[in-house]
Amino acid sequence: MTTTPDATTPDATIADARERIDALDDRIIGLIQERMAVSAVVQQTRIASGGRRVHLAREMEILGRYRDALGKPGTPLAMTLLELCRGRI
C-alpha cells in the first residue's frame, strides 16, 4: 500500500501564505503610491487657491479612522502614511 504525501504540509502552507502576503504587500505599496499621488493633487490645489499645504482637522479624522479600525497601532501607521503623503510638518 503506497501513500502519497499530504500536499498540505506545514512548509507548503507557510510557502503559500508567504506568497499571498507578498502579493498583498505589492497591492498595499501600489495603493500607498496612488494615495501619495492623489494627496499631491489635493495639496497643490489647496496651495494654488491660497490655502495651507496641510489641513490638520482632516489629518485628525484620518488618525481617528485608522485608530478605530486597527486599534492603538493604527495611529502610528496613519502617521507614517500621512508623512509619506505630505512630508514632515
Side-chain angles (χ1 to χ4, degrees):
M1 176 182 211
T2 307
T3 60
T4 58
D6 185 2
T8 314
T9 65
D11 287 342
T13 300
I14 290 168
D16 289 344
R18 285 181 176 162
E19 284 182 32
R20 289 179 56 205
I21 287 170
D22 290 345
L24 288 167
D25 285 344
D26 289 342
R27 288 173 45 198
I28 291 167
I29 290 167
L31 289 169
I32 291 170
Q33 290 170 332
E34 182 178 351
R35 190 189 193 288
M36 291 169 70
V38 172
S39 182
V41 170
V42 170
Q43 288 179 47
Q44 291 166 359
T45 304
R46 193 180 308 118
I47 291 167
S49 66
R52 299 175 68 166
R53 180 174 67 93
V54 176
H55 188 268
L56 294 178
R58 172 67 176 148
E59 290 198 358
M60 294 305 295
E61 290 175 20
I62 293 166
L63 291 171
R65 184 176 181 189
Y66 275 73
R67 183 186 58 249
D68 292 346
L70 303 172
K72 188 177 178 180
T75 301
L77 177 61
M79 286 298 296
T80 299
L81 185 59
L82 289 169
E83 187 174 318
L84 282 168
C85 291
R86 57 123 160 91
R88 290 184 175 256
I89 300 180

